[in-house]
Amino acid sequence: MTPRPYIPAEKTLRELTPAPLVLGTLLGVIFGASSLYLVLKVGLTVSASIPVAVISITLFRIFKKLGLRDATILEDNIVQTAGSAGESIAFGIGVTMPAIMILGFDLEITRVALVAVLGGLLGILMMIPLRRALIVDQHEELKYPEGTACAEVLKAGASEESRKAHFEGLIPQEHGELEGRTPLEQDKTDLEKAPPEAPEHEMGAGAIFAGFGIGLVYKAAMEAFKSWKDIPEKVFGAPYAGASVSAEISPELLGVGYIIGPRIASIMCAGGVLAYLVLIPMIKFFGDALPMPLAPGHELISKMGPDEIRGAYVLYIGAGAVAAGGIISLGRSLPTIWHGLRAGLGDLRRGQGEAKAATNREVPRTERDLPIKVVLWGSLALVIAIVLATPLRMNIAGAVLIVLFGFLFVTVSSRLTGEIGSSSNPISGMTVATLLLTCLIFLVIGWTGPTYYVTALSVGAIVCIAASNGGTTSQDLKTGFLIGATPRAQQIAILVGALASAIALGPILLKLNDAATVYVPQVEMVDGKPADAFPKTMHVDPKTLDVRERLTGPQAAGDTHAYLVWNNQDESQGPPAKYFVGDDGTPKYLVDPGINGTHATRPDGTKVTKFDAPKATLMSYIIKGILNRQLPWGLVLLGVMISVVLEMSGIPSLAFAVGVYLPLSSSTPILVGGAVRWLVDKHTRKKLPPTATPDEVSAEGDKSPGVLMASGYIAGGAIAGIVIAFFAGVTSGLQAKIDAWASAHNPLFAGAHADLLSLIPFAILTMILWAAGRELIFGRRA
C-alpha cells in the first residue's frame, strides 16, 4: 500500500527556491571536500544526507530568529538533496583519478573535471526513468534505509508552516476517532503545544557544529602549529626487528571509526596488524642477510625500515588482497545483481509506460519527473561529450563500454541501495569489474600501449561515479517520496549540486596532491647520508619534450627555473615516474606526488604526510597488470590467498584487505572510534527491551548525538587539512619557523616522551566523543 506523503500532493509549499539550492550546493561542496580527503586517506566515505538535513533545519531556524523566513520541509529536502551529491562524486573521484599519477601521467584539472561532471550527471539521468518503478511501485520491498532515516529527520524538524500543511491534509474519516477527538483535532492541539524552535534538532545541530569546531581547531593545532606529534610511533628492535605500531591521532579517522562501528573497525585494524606485526617483521627476518636487493625492492632489506619494506613488498600483497576482496564481494552479489538487472529493465519499461500514460491525464505534483526527452537528449549529449573530450583519450569503443556498463551498474546500484543501503553497496567491486572487463577487451583488441591506460581508467572512473550517484539519487528520491516532494524539483537540485561539486572537487584534489609533492633531487639525504634518488645515467632526448613546469609549494622559492616534463613509463630507462628535465635531457628532479608518493622528506628536512589512496592504487595495478603485465605477481597472489583464507573463515575480506594495504597508523584511530561506539552501544542496549536485536541497538545509536559529533569531527578535521594544504606554499616560511621552535621546545612534539605525551590531547578528543554518544552532552531534552 502506497503511504500518504507528509505533505499531500494537493498542497503546494515553497520548494525549489534560490536560498535552499545555494545552501545545499555549498554544503555539498564542503562535505564533498571532506569526503574526498577521507577517501584519499582510507578509501571510504560516510553519508552526508542526515548531517546536511540537520544543518539546514537549524540554519533556517536561526534565519527566522534574525527576522527572515523559515524554510518549509520541502526546502530543507532540497538542501539535503543538493548537498548529498558531493559525497558520492568525491568517492568516485578519489577511488579512480589518482591512479592517473600512479600510472605516470599528469593529473590534469580538465581531465578530473570532465570525469566528475560526465559521470555525475550521467548517473542521475540514467536513474530518473526508474523512479516510479523503484521508489513508488516497490515502496514496501525496497526500503532505502538512509533515505527513510533522512525523511524521519526532516519530519521531526519540520517548520510550523509545514506541520500546518501536513495537519490540514489529513482526512479524519480515514483514521477514526481518538479519545473523543479526530486525529486532525489531536494533531492541531499538539501543534499548539509544540515549541516552534524544535529543540532536539538545535541540540543535534549543536553536536555537529561543536564537532566541526573541535575537529577544525584540533587538526589546525596539530598540523599547522605542531602543538603535538601527529603520528606517535614505537619501532621494535631485536628480536622483533621490523615490527612497529603507530597511530595518526586525527579527529576525522576517529569519527570514521565511530560511524562504521566496532566490527568493521576491528577487522580493518586487524589487517594493519598483519602487515606491521607479521609480514614486515617476517620479511625483515628472512631478508636481513641477503647480499643484494630483492626485487621489486631496489635496496638491501637490511637497510630498510618498516615503511620502506611496506612500500617495496607489502603494498603489492595488500593490493592483491583488496582486488580479491572486491571481486569476491561482487561475486557474492551476482545473484542480487542479476535479479536487480532483470527487475530494473522491467522497471524501466514500466516507468516509461506510466510516463506516457501520465501525458493523457493531469499528473499530481508528487509524480512530476523531468520529461523523458530531457533525460534522453541529455544522456546523448553527455555521451557525445565523452567521445569528443580530448583529455579522456576516449574512442568510440570506450564510449560504448561506458554506456553499457553505466546503464548496467546504475540500474544495479539504484536497486541494491534500496535493498541493503548505500554503505553496503559494492561500488568498488563494480568499478573493479568494469576495469577488468575493459582491460581484457583492450588486450584482445591489442590496445596495450600507455595511451590506453588513460582510456581504460576514464571508462572505469565515469562508470564508478555514475553508479555512486545513481544510488545517492535513489536515496534522495525515496526521502522526497515519503515527505511529499516534487521529483522534478529534486532532480534539478541534485543535477545542480552534482555539477557544482564536480567542478569544485577537481582543484581540491590537485591542491592536496601538490601540497604533499616532493621534488627529489638526483642525490638526496636518507638518514643523514647521501643516496641516489634515480640513476645518474638516465637521459631523454629534450626534442621529444614540449611541456615546461616550475616547482610549486614550499620548494618553489628555492628554484624558479621552468623545466621540461618527462613522464617516463619505460622501466628500461629508469624508475617509471614524472621527472623535471634540464635542457640537456638530464633529469634534475623526480616529482614524487602527494598521493601515493614514497618520499616524505623534502631536501630541507621538513616532513610531509602522503595520501595512500588505496583503491586508486588498486585500479592502477589492474590496468598495468593486464595491459602490460608489469606486476610482481608472486606478491599479488599472496594477497589474493589472504582474502581467500579470510572468506573461508567467514570473515569479510575487503575491510581486512584495505587494512593490510593502509598504514597501521590510519587503522588504529579507526579502531579507537569503533571501540567508543561499542561502549556507547553497550550503554544503549540497557535502555532497550531485552529482545532488541543488534540492528535495533545500532539504529538507536545512530540517533544519538555521538554520530552527529563524529560527522562534525570528520568534516572539521578534513576541512582543516584542506585549508592547510591550500596555504602551504604561502606560509612555508612561517611554517618552517614553527617546526623549528616545536622541535626545540615542545615536549609533546619532539623529545624522548613525545610519542606518549601526544596521546593526551587525543584521549581528550576521544572522551568528548564518548560523552556525546552517551548523551552526557548534547543530550535529548525530556
Side-chain angles (χ1 to χ4, degrees):
M1 178 176 140
T2 302
R4 185 176 179 83
Y6 187 82
I7 303 296
E10 58 270 17
K11 289 290 180 181
T12 301
L13 295 178
R14 295 184 308 276
E15 188 167 7
L16 188 63
T17 54
L21 188 59
V22 171
L23 177 60
T25 301
L26 290 175
L27 290 175
V29 171
I30 291 172
F31 278 90
S34 65
S35 295
L36 178 61
Y37 186 88
L38 203 60
V39 78
L40 292 177
K41 291 186 75 69
V42 292
L44 51 83
T45 61
V46 293
S47 176
S49 290
I50 290 179
V52 169
V54 173
I55 291 173
S56 174
I57 293 168
T58 304
L59 288 180
F60 277 110
R61 291 281 152 72
I62 294 173
F63 295 160
K64 182 181 179 181
K65 291 178 181 179
L66 295 175
L68 304 174
R69 69 170 178 83
D70 200 353
T72 68
I73 188 174
L74 302 185
E75 288 178 311
D76 284 327
N77 183 52
I78 289 295
V79 175
Q80 75 83 19
T81 299
S84 66
E87 179 265 330
S88 59
I89 289 178
F91 177 80
I93 292 176
V95 162
T96 57
M97 295 315 295
I100 289 285
M101 291 180 298
I102 302 170
L103 291 169
F105 296 89
D106 284 335
L107 190 64
E108 300 172 0
I109 183 64
T110 52
R111 181 179 290 146
V112 178
L114 281 169
V115 165
V117 170
L118 296 172
L121 300 186
L122 194 63
I124 296 168
L125 291 176
M126 284 183 168
M127 193 276 149
I128 288 174
L130 299 171
R131 185 196 67 84
R132 283 189 177 89
L134 293 180
I135 307 299
V136 181
D137 295 348
Q138 301 183 55
H139 165 69
E140 294 295 334
E141 292 80 13
L142 301 178
K143 300 299 184 182
Y144 290 97
E146 290 92 344
T148 301
C150 190
E152 293 303 314
V153 169
L154 291 172
K155 290 177 187 177
S159 65
E160 185 174 356
E161 177 184 2
S162 303
R163 284 182 283 166
K164 283 182 178 179
H166 166 66
F167 297 141
E168 291 170 358
L170 293 174
I171 303 176
Q173 290 80 1
E174 291 183 356
H175 301 282
E177 301 293 327
L178 178 65
E179 298 180 357
R181 292 177 297 169
T182 65
L184 177 59
E185 293 170 337
Q186 175 71 44
D187 289 330
K188 285 184 175 178
T189 303
D190 292 341
L191 175 62
E192 293 170 358
K193 293 179 181 179
E197 295 83 6
E200 282 196 18
H201 280 79
E202 286 191 356
M203 288 186 290
I208 292 178
F209 287 125
F212 182 88
I214 293 170
L216 188 75
V217 172
Y218 180 101
K219 185 82 170 186
M222 181 175 71
E223 293 284 352
F225 298 101
K226 308 301 180 184
S227 299
W228 54 87
K229 192 174 182 179
D230 58 343
I231 306 181
E233 182 181 26
K234 170 64 177 177
V235 179
F236 299 98
Y240 202 18
S244 65
V245 292
S246 57
E248 183 180 342
I249 49 176
S250 63
E252 63 271 19
L253 298 182
L254 179 67
V256 167
Y258 188 93
I259 290 176
I260 67 175
R263 175 166 169 76
I264 298 300
S266 60
I267 291 174
M268 196 169 173
C269 190
V273 170
L274 176 70
Y276 277 76
L277 298 177
V278 179
L279 296 179
I280 293 176
M282 188 165 59
I283 292 171
K284 185 75 172 174
F285 179 83
F286 288 109
D288 224 14
L290 290 178
M292 62 185 67
L294 175 66
H298 297 288
E299 61 179 306
L300 293 174
I301 292 178
S302 60
K303 296 183 178 180
M304 289 184 178
D307 289 336
E308 288 78 17
I309 293 176
R310 171 180 174 265
Y313 307 104
V314 177
L315 284 185
Y316 294 105
I317 298 174
V322 173
I327 293 170
I328 290 170
S329 68
L330 184 68
R332 191 184 294 114
S333 302
L334 277 179
T336 306
I337 288 174
W338 174 244
H339 169 72
L341 178 61
R342 292 181 60 190
L345 291 171
D347 295 339
L348 180 61
R349 290 192 295 269
R350 189 162 55 252
Q352 289 175 335
E354 292 183 8
K356 291 179 181 178
T359 59
N360 300 321
R361 60 181 172 82
E362 186 177 350
V363 180
R365 178 186 58 79
T366 53
E367 294 182 19
R368 295 173 188 164
D369 291 287
L370 283 173
I372 193 67
K373 289 182 180 179
V374 172
V375 174
L376 293 176
W377 284 109
S379 300
L380 180 60
L382 290 174
V383 172
I384 293 173
I386 289 170
V387 176
L388 298 179
T390 304
L392 302 183
R393 303 192 183 185
M394 192 56 63
N395 49 40
I396 297 296
V400 170
L401 290 174
I402 287 173
V403 172
L404 292 177
F405 289 133
F407 176 75
L408 166 65
F409 288 127
V410 167
T411 303
V412 169
S413 176
S414 298
R415 191 173 187 88
L416 284 183
T417 301
E419 294 180 353
I420 59 179
S422 296
S423 58
S424 301
N425 197 1
I427 300 294
S428 297
M430 297 179 196
T431 309
V432 168
T434 300
L435 272 181
L436 282 172
L437 293 172
T438 300
C439 289
L440 288 172
I441 291 170
F442 283 12
L443 186 64
V444 171
I445 296 174
W447 295 349
T448 57
T451 301
Y452 296 106
Y453 291 178
V454 178
T455 307
L457 185 63
S458 297
V459 172
I462 292 174
V463 170
C464 175
I465 295 171
S468 180
N469 234 16
T472 298
T473 303
S474 303
Q475 294 282 16
D476 292 334
L477 292 174
K478 179 70 168 188
T479 301
F481 171 71
L482 294 173
I483 67 168
T486 306
R488 178 187 299 169
Q490 280 192 279
Q491 291 155 5
I492 293 172
I494 198 168
L495 284 168
V496 172
L499 181 61
S501 293
I503 294 172
L505 292 179
I508 293 173
L509 175 64
L510 267 65
K511 193 62 182 180
L512 289 174
N513 178 66
D514 291 345
T517 292
V518 175
Y519 298 92
V520 186
Q522 197 277 323
V523 178
E524 63 169 340
M525 300 300 292
V526 178
D527 296 329
K529 299 177 181 179
D532 289 344
F534 48 88
K536 295 179 181 178
T537 56
M538 288 186 70
H539 187 271
V540 64
D541 184 357
K543 295 179 181 179
T544 63
L545 308 176
D546 54 5
V547 177
R548 288 185 180 269
E549 289 184 18
R550 288 183 170 86
L551 279 67
T552 60
Q555 290 179 251
D559 189 343
T560 60
H561 184 71
Y563 292 96
L564 291 167
V565 176
W566 178 30
N567 290 298
N568 177 35
Q569 294 160 0
D570 185 354
E571 288 193 2
S572 65
Q573 298 189 57
K578 178 180 177 180
Y579 295 89
F580 277 1
V581 178
D583 293 335
D584 61 351
T586 302
K588 303 300 180 184
Y589 292 100
L590 182 155
V591 184
D592 189 66
I595 300 174
N596 204 253
T598 57
H599 295 263
T601 304
R602 292 196 171 103
D604 63 359
T606 58
K607 299 282 188 179
V608 297
T609 301
K610 300 287 188 176
F611 293 95
D612 290 281
K615 292 184 178 176
T617 306
L618 169 62
M619 305 307 167
S620 71
Y621 285 172
I622 290 173
I623 293 171
K624 190 177 291 187
I626 294 177
L627 296 185
N628 271 17
R629 295 175 283 276
Q630 293 178 350
L631 280 181
W633 283 102
L635 295 175
V636 171
L637 290 174
L638 285 175
V640 170
M641 294 313 301
I642 288 175
S643 288
V644 171
V645 168
L646 289 168
E647 292 291 340
M648 292 174 67
S649 304
I651 299 171
S653 61
L654 186 56
F656 187 95
V658 171
V660 174
Y661 181 87
L662 287 174
L664 180 60
S665 59
S666 297
S667 302
T668 306
I670 292 176
L671 176 65
V672 174
V676 174
R677 179 63 181 267
W678 178 77
L679 292 173
V680 170
D681 286 350
K682 189 176 181 181
H683 172 75
T684 302
R685 182 181 293 276
K686 297 177 182 178
K687 301 188 297 182
L688 297 176
T691 56
T693 65
D695 288 341
E696 290 172 337
V697 174
S698 179
E700 183 65 23
D702 288 341
K703 301 176 185 177
S704 75
V707 169
L708 298 177
M709 175 71 77
S711 298
Y713 275 7
I714 292 170
I719 294 300
I722 292 169
V723 171
I724 292 169
F726 265 79
F727 287 97
V730 178
T731 61
S732 57
L734 176 61
Q735 190 66 61
K737 293 179 181 179
I738 293 174
D739 291 354
W741 183 91
S743 298
H745 301 96
N746 185 356
L748 276 75
F749 180 76
H753 304 291
D755 291 302
L756 184 61
L757 293 175
S758 59
L759 295 176
I760 295 174
F762 185 67
I764 296 172
L765 187 74
T766 303
M767 289 302 298
I768 293 172
L769 181 59
W770 173 81
R774 286 285 304 272
E775 299 182 8
L776 300 176
I777 55 177
F778 304 107
R780 298 169 183 157
R781 296 180 187 176

